[in-house]
Amino acid sequence: MAADTDTTTLENRSEIVFLYDAEDCNPNGNPLSANDKPRVDETTGQAVVTDVRLKRYVRDQLDDDELGIYIRNPSKAPYEDVPDRDGLFKRVTELEEDDVEDMSGSDAAEAFLNNAADVRYFGATCSFSSEFQDALGDDFPGQFIGPVQFEHGRSMHTVTTKTESKQLSTVVASEAGDEQGTFATDNRLQYALVKFHGVVNENAAQDTLLSAEDVERLDALLWRSLKNQTLTRSKMGHQPRLYLRAEYATDDYHHGGLDDGIERADADETDGAEYRNITDVTLAVDDLVAALAGDAEEGHLETLHVVVDDHITVSIDGATGGPEFLLKELEEAVGADRVNRVDVYA
């Protein structure tokens, strides 16, 4: 069995705002559509990225970091080595059925969670054969509710579907013996700046053994997963731009809707469909800074964990600036001692 994880109890709730952009790529295809078209809200024209897509990036990064995950990416697993439901549990925990029979269900659950980092973050539903379930015992939970949850992400503007590269010739012949290859449709968005909002629930964390160290890891994990897990043909063009985790001191408190405090500075003039890259966008963050300042003044905010991309531009109270400008404004608003500038590669 892999080494036990550090189980320092998580005491504080956190609220996360995460912005990344996607340029000339497909941020989240819809498999139920023809040719995996990008998900776009038909009413608002905004690109939509599901929480499942974001969590997949994180799970793949956890896997690459060799931290152990339960729900692996089928595209990364060899087809000849796919375990059944019982085998998956044994692979994750390195426990055999005889070992499980000698353990209580709660001890088996602890061994499972200690070796499945993704379940500690996002939860999972566990289903086994009746024989293996009997060995685990009735007190092994059938479902773990994830303490880290994200809403669907949405682009902050109307998106434009690329048309100039809709079709491409492939090197795969449509049938054996054909001399001419077939064609595949290639759907992409010109540009999408996507905003996610999430919450880390310290109460639910008790059931999945999510630790304070796990949440601290999340500060770098989200950023690195966007950098490292989007290097495929359809996803190339992603870049994380802004990460904020407001860690609260007050029990059961979170501000809620911190992401609503970030808007486009030119939202009254354009729907943003013409945007091509991050240099076209200025973020108005007055309401975000005011909300955080209020939480700090009332004693709710303990620490603000921040990562800012070098190319971001923000406006505050009519002034504009880059990442250092934003960081200084945040430090003035909540106190420099409350701002943690995260080094994602430390």
Side-chain angles (χ1 to χ4, degrees):
M1 189 189 312
D4 286 353
T5 186
D6 190 326
T7 54
T8 303
T9 303
L10 178 65
E11 297 181 349
N12 297 334
R13 182 168 300 181
S14 290
E15 187 171 358
I16 295 172
V17 179
F18 184 41
L19 270 62
Y20 67 81
D21 60 7
E23 183 179 342
D24 289 328
C25 62
N26 185 350
N28 191 191
N30 182 354
L32 300 180
S33 67
N35 300 305
D36 202 35
K37 291 182 178 178
R39 297 171 192 261
V40 177
D41 187 311
E42 295 180 354
T43 302
T44 66
Q46 295 170 291
V48 177
V49 181
T50 67
D51 63 316
V52 174
R53 174 66 272 183
L54 182 64
K55 291 173 180 175
R56 184 72 267 166
Y57 290 141
V58 173
R59 283 190 164 100
D60 288 349
Q61 189 60 50
L62 286 167
D63 196 13
D64 285 357
D65 291 344
E66 300 182 343
L67 287 171
I69 65 170
Y70 180 57
I71 303 175
R72 297 189 66 191
N73 190 336
S75 66
K76 289 190 171 186
Y79 288 109
E80 65 275 12
D81 189 27
V82 179
D84 59 15
R85 293 173 296 171
D86 303 350
L88 184 56
F89 179 93
K90 297 172 187 174
R91 172 176 292 184
V92 170
T93 61
E94 298 183 15
L95 291 170
E96 295 299 329
E97 191 159 343
D98 289 344
D99 300 321
V100 172
E101 288 177 344
D102 294 334
M103 303 171 71
S104 68
S106 58
D107 286 343
E110 183 175 350
F112 174 61
L113 292 167
N114 281 343
N115 291 282
D118 60 329
V119 182
R120 295 200 302 273
Y121 286 107
F122 306 130
T125 298
C126 299
S127 176
F128 307 108
S129 69
S130 57
E131 293 79 8
F132 195 71
Q133 184 62 59
D134 289 342
L136 285 168
D138 293 337
D139 52 344
F140 184 91
Q143 185 175 27
F144 298 94
I145 305 299
V148 180
Q149 295 295 340
F150 292 97
E151 302 170 10
H152 281 13
R154 285 180 171 270
S155 67
M156 298 179 66
H157 54 93
T158 298
V159 294
T160 301
T161 302
K162 292 275 287 185
T163 56
E164 65 268 26
S165 60
K166 269 192 170 180
Q167 288 190 319
L168 66 151
S169 59
T170 71
V171 296
V172 180
S174 56
E175 293 182 9
D178 283 357
E179 294 182 355
Q180 184 176 359
T182 185
F183 285 86
T185 301
D186 185 27
N187 293 293
R188 293 169 183 251
L189 297 181
Q190 176 175 282
Y191 181 72
L193 178 58
V194 179
K195 181 168 60 175
F196 268 96
H197 174 251
V199 172
V200 182
N201 183 344
E202 79 283 11
N203 298 316
Q206 309 309 310
D207 294 331
T208 69
L209 306 183
L210 186 78
S211 68
E213 285 72 19
D214 286 328
V215 176
E216 182 179 349
R217 180 187 301 115
L218 196 61
D219 296 336
L221 192 61
L222 271 167
W223 196 274
R224 290 193 301 114
S225 70
L226 255 295
K227 299 278 281 189
N228 297 332
Q229 305 303 327
T230 58
L231 301 179
T232 60
R233 183 179 178 281
S234 66
K235 294 290 183 289
M236 193 75 180
H238 282 72
Q239 182 70 26
R241 298 299 183 184
L242 177 63
Y243 172 89
L244 296 167
R245 178 168 67 86
E247 182 179 357
Y248 296 108
T250 304
D251 290 346
D252 297 331
Y253 175 86
H254 66 277
H255 187 95
L258 275 184
D259 56 319
D260 294 335
I262 305 177
E263 301 176 337
R264 293 183 295 116
D266 61 357
D268 293 336
E269 305 165 9
T270 176
D271 63 7
E274 73 281 9
Y275 291 163
R276 301 302 297 259
N277 56 54
I278 190 63
T279 63
D280 293 328
V281 186
T282 296
L283 299 171
V285 296
D286 301 79
D287 291 345
L288 171 70
V289 174
L292 292 169
D295 282 335
E297 183 176 356
E298 295 173 10
H300 296 310
L301 182 68
E302 179 157 305
T303 306
L304 183 64
H305 308 269
V306 188
V307 189
V308 187
D309 177 68
D310 290 342
H311 302 286
I312 203 168
T313 302
V314 301
S315 69
I316 304 172
D317 197 23
T320 61
E324 195 59 33
F325 170 70
L326 172 60
L327 287 164
K328 288 183 177 178
E329 289 289 332
L330 289 172
E331 288 175 348
E332 288 183 10
V334 306
D337 59 334
R338 286 195 176 95
V339 176
N340 172 34
R341 301 187 182 198
V342 177
D343 180 353
V344 297
Y345 296 108

Short mmCIF file of all heavy atoms in Angstrom, two decimals, residues 173-200:
data_model
loop_
_atom_site.label_atom_id
_atom_site.label_comp_id
_atom_site.label_asym_id
_atom_site.label_seq_id
_atom_site.Cartn_x
_atom_site.Cartn_y
_atom_site.Cartn_z
N ALA A 173 -7.42 6.14 -44.07
CA ALA A 173 -8.34 5.81 -45.15
C ALA A 173 -9.68 5.38 -44.59
O ALA A 173 -9.76 4.78 -43.52
CB ALA A 173 -7.75 4.71 -46.01
N SER A 174 -10.77 5.70 -45.28
CA SER A 174 -12.10 5.36 -44.78
C SER A 174 -12.34 3.86 -44.78
O SER A 174 -13.05 3.33 -43.94
CB SER A 174 -13.17 6.07 -45.61
OG SER A 174 -13.01 5.74 -46.98
N GLU A 175 -11.76 3.14 -45.73
CA GLU A 175 -11.88 1.70 -45.77
C GLU A 175 -10.56 1.12 -46.27
O GLU A 175 -9.80 1.79 -46.96
CB GLU A 175 -13.01 1.26 -46.70
CG GLU A 175 -14.39 1.65 -46.21
CD GLU A 175 -15.49 1.13 -47.15
OE1 GLU A 175 -15.14 0.33 -48.05
OE2 GLU A 175 -16.63 1.55 -46.98
N ALA A 176 -10.32 -0.14 -45.92
CA ALA A 176 -9.10 -0.79 -46.37
C ALA A 176 -9.03 -0.77 -47.89
O ALA A 176 -9.99 -1.11 -48.57
CB ALA A 176 -9.06 -2.22 -45.84
N GLY A 177 -7.91 -0.37 -48.44
CA GLY A 177 -7.74 -0.36 -49.87
C GLY A 177 -8.09 0.95 -50.52
O GLY A 177 -7.77 1.18 -51.69
N ASP A 178 -8.78 1.85 -49.81
CA ASP A 178 -9.10 3.15 -50.38
C ASP A 178 -7.83 3.95 -50.60
O ASP A 178 -6.92 3.95 -49.77
CB ASP A 178 -10.03 3.94 -49.45
CG ASP A 178 -11.45 3.45 -49.54
OD1 ASP A 178 -11.71 2.53 -50.35
OD2 ASP A 178 -12.30 3.98 -48.78
N GLU A 179 -7.77 4.63 -51.70
CA GLU A 179 -6.61 5.44 -51.98
C GLU A 179 -6.77 6.85 -51.42
O GLU A 179 -5.80 7.55 -51.20
CB GLU A 179 -6.35 5.50 -53.49
CG GLU A 179 -5.97 4.14 -54.08
CD GLU A 179 -5.68 4.24 -55.56
OE1 GLU A 179 -5.87 5.34 -56.12
OE2 GLU A 179 -5.25 3.24 -56.13
N GLN A 180 -8.00 7.26 -51.22
CA GLN A 180 -8.26 8.62 -50.75
C GLN A 180 -8.67 8.60 -49.29
O GLN A 180 -9.50 7.78 -48.87
CB GLN A 180 -9.35 9.26 -51.60
CG GLN A 180 -9.61 10.72 -51.23
CD GLN A 180 -10.63 11.34 -52.16
OE1 GLN A 180 -11.13 10.70 -53.06
NE2 GLN A 180 -10.91 12.61 -51.93
N GLY A 181 -8.12 9.48 -48.50
CA GLY A 181 -8.49 9.57 -47.09
C GLY A 181 -9.85 10.19 -46.93
O GLY A 181 -10.43 10.75 -47.87
N THR A 182 -10.38 10.10 -45.71
CA THR A 182 -11.67 10.71 -45.43
C THR A 182 -11.46 12.08 -44.82
O THR A 182 -10.33 12.54 -44.67
CB THR A 182 -12.48 9.82 -44.48
OG1 THR A 182 -13.78 10.39 -44.33
CG2 THR A 182 -11.81 9.74 -43.11
N PHE A 183 -12.52 12.80 -44.45
CA PHE A 183 -12.42 14.12 -43.86
C PHE A 183 -13.04 14.12 -42.47
O PHE A 183 -14.00 13.39 -42.21
CB PHE A 183 -13.15 15.16 -44.73
CG PHE A 183 -12.38 15.51 -45.97
CD1 PHE A 183 -12.50 14.75 -47.11
CD2 PHE A 183 -11.53 16.60 -45.98
CE1 PHE A 183 -11.79 15.07 -48.25
CE2 PHE A 183 -10.82 16.93 -47.11
CZ PHE A 183 -10.95 16.16 -48.26
N ALA A 184 -12.49 14.92 -41.60
CA ALA A 184 -13.04 15.06 -40.25
C ALA A 184 -13.28 16.54 -39.99
O ALA A 184 -12.49 17.38 -40.41
CB ALA A 184 -12.08 14.50 -39.21
N THR A 185 -14.38 16.83 -39.31
CA THR A 185 -14.69 18.22 -39.00
C THR A 185 -13.92 18.67 -37.77
O THR A 185 -13.82 17.96 -36.79
CB THR A 185 -16.20 18.37 -38.74
OG1 THR A 185 -16.90 17.95 -39.91
CG2 THR A 185 -16.55 19.81 -38.43
N ASP A 186 -13.38 19.86 -37.84
CA ASP A 186 -12.55 20.40 -36.75
C ASP A 186 -13.20 21.66 -36.23
O ASP A 186 -13.17 22.70 -36.88
CB ASP A 186 -11.15 20.70 -37.31
CG ASP A 186 -10.19 21.14 -36.22
OD1 ASP A 186 -10.40 20.73 -35.07
OD2 ASP A 186 -9.26 21.89 -36.53
N ASN A 187 -13.83 21.55 -35.05
CA ASN A 187 -14.54 22.70 -34.47
C ASN A 187 -13.69 23.36 -33.40
O ASN A 187 -13.20 22.69 -32.49
CB ASN A 187 -15.86 22.23 -33.85
CG ASN A 187 -16.84 21.73 -34.87
OD1 ASN A 187 -17.34 22.49 -35.68
ND2 ASN A 187 -17.11 20.42 -34.85
N ARG A 188 -13.55 24.67 -33.51
CA ARG A 188 -12.76 25.42 -32.53
C ARG A 188 -13.44 26.75 -32.24
O ARG A 188 -14.28 27.22 -33.01
CB ARG A 188 -11.35 25.68 -33.06
CG ARG A 188 -10.52 24.42 -33.21
CD ARG A 188 -9.24 24.64 -33.98
NE ARG A 188 -8.54 23.36 -34.13
CZ ARG A 188 -7.42 23.05 -33.49
NH1 ARG A 188 -6.85 23.92 -32.68
NH2 ARG A 188 -6.86 21.88 -33.66
N LEU A 189 -13.03 27.35 -31.13
CA LEU A 189 -13.47 28.71 -30.82
C LEU A 189 -12.33 29.67 -31.09
O LEU A 189 -11.16 29.36 -30.83
CB LEU A 189 -13.91 28.81 -29.36
CG LEU A 189 -15.09 27.95 -28.94
CD1 LEU A 189 -15.41 28.19 -27.46
CD2 LEU A 189 -16.31 28.25 -29.79
N GLN A 190 -12.70 30.84 -31.60
CA GLN A 190 -11.67 31.86 -31.84
C GLN A 190 -10.98 32.24 -30.54
O GLN A 190 -9.75 32.30 -30.46
CB GLN A 190 -12.35 33.09 -32.45
CG GLN A 190 -11.46 34.28 -32.67
CD GLN A 190 -12.21 35.38 -33.39
OE1 GLN A 190 -12.39 35.30 -34.60
NE2 GLN A 190 -12.66 36.39 -32.65
N TYR A 191 -11.77 32.50 -29.50
CA TYR A 191 -11.20 32.85 -28.20
C TYR A 191 -12.29 32.73 -27.13
O TYR A 191 -13.45 33.06 -27.38
CB TYR A 191 -10.66 34.28 -28.20
CG TYR A 191 -10.03 34.69 -26.89
CD1 TYR A 191 -8.80 34.17 -26.51
CD2 TYR A 191 -10.68 35.56 -26.02
CE1 TYR A 191 -8.22 34.51 -25.30
CE2 TYR A 191 -10.11 35.92 -24.80
CZ TYR A 191 -8.87 35.38 -24.44
OH TYR A 191 -8.30 35.72 -23.24
N ALA A 192 -11.91 32.25 -25.96
CA ALA A 192 -12.84 32.18 -24.83
C ALA A 192 -12.08 32.41 -23.53
O ALA A 192 -11.12 31.68 -23.25
CB ALA A 192 -13.55 30.83 -24.79
N LEU A 193 -12.48 33.42 -22.78
CA LEU A 193 -11.93 33.64 -21.43
C LEU A 193 -12.96 33.08 -20.45
O LEU A 193 -14.05 33.64 -20.29
CB LEU A 193 -11.69 35.12 -21.18
CG LEU A 193 -11.16 35.48 -19.79
CD1 LEU A 193 -9.84 34.77 -19.49
CD2 LEU A 193 -10.98 37.00 -19.66
N VAL A 194 -12.63 31.96 -19.84
CA VAL A 194 -13.58 31.18 -19.05
C VAL A 194 -13.38 31.45 -17.56
O VAL A 194 -12.23 31.46 -17.07
CB VAL A 194 -13.41 29.67 -19.34
CG1 VAL A 194 -14.38 28.84 -18.52
CG2 VAL A 194 -13.61 29.41 -20.83
N LYS A 195 -14.49 31.62 -16.87
CA LYS A 195 -14.45 31.92 -15.43
C LYS A 195 -15.13 30.79 -14.65
O LYS A 195 -16.27 30.45 -14.92
CB LYS A 195 -15.15 33.25 -15.16
CG LYS A 195 -15.16 33.69 -13.71
CD LYS A 195 -15.61 35.15 -13.58
CE LYS A 195 -16.98 35.42 -14.11
NZ LYS A 195 -17.44 36.81 -13.87
N PHE A 196 -14.41 30.23 -13.68
CA PHE A 196 -14.94 29.18 -12.80
C PHE A 196 -15.08 29.71 -11.37
O PHE A 196 -14.28 30.53 -10.91
CB PHE A 196 -14.00 27.97 -12.78
CG PHE A 196 -14.32 26.92 -13.80
CD1 PHE A 196 -13.65 26.91 -15.01
CD2 PHE A 196 -15.29 25.96 -13.56
CE1 PHE A 196 -13.93 25.94 -15.96
CE2 PHE A 196 -15.58 24.99 -14.50
CZ PHE A 196 -14.91 24.98 -15.71
N HIS A 197 -16.08 29.20 -10.69
CA HIS A 197 -16.28 29.50 -9.27
C HIS A 197 -16.43 28.18 -8.52
O HIS A 197 -17.12 27.26 -8.98
CB HIS A 197 -17.55 30.34 -9.08
CG HIS A 197 -17.92 30.57 -7.64
ND1 HIS A 197 -18.99 29.97 -7.03
CD2 HIS A 197 -17.32 31.34 -6.69
CE1 HIS A 197 -19.06 30.38 -5.77
NE2 HIS A 197 -18.06 31.20 -5.54
N GLY A 198 -15.74 28.07 -7.39
CA GLY A 198 -15.81 26.84 -6.62
C GLY A 198 -15.75 27.09 -5.13
O GLY A 198 -15.43 28.19 -4.66
N VAL A 199 -16.09 26.05 -4.36
CA VAL A 199 -16.06 26.13 -2.89
C VAL A 199 -15.41 24.86 -2.35
O VAL A 199 -15.65 23.76 -2.87
CB VAL A 199 -17.49 26.26 -2.32
CG1 VAL A 199 -17.49 26.13 -0.80
CG2 VAL A 199 -18.11 27.60 -2.72
N VAL A 200 -14.58 25.02 -1.32
CA VAL A 200 -14.02 23.89 -0.58
C VAL A 200 -14.77 23.82 0.75
O VAL A 200 -14.66 24.73 1.58
CB VAL A 200 -12.50 24.07 -0.34
CG1 VAL A 200 -11.95 22.84 0.40
CG2 VAL A 200 -11.77 24.28 -1.65
#
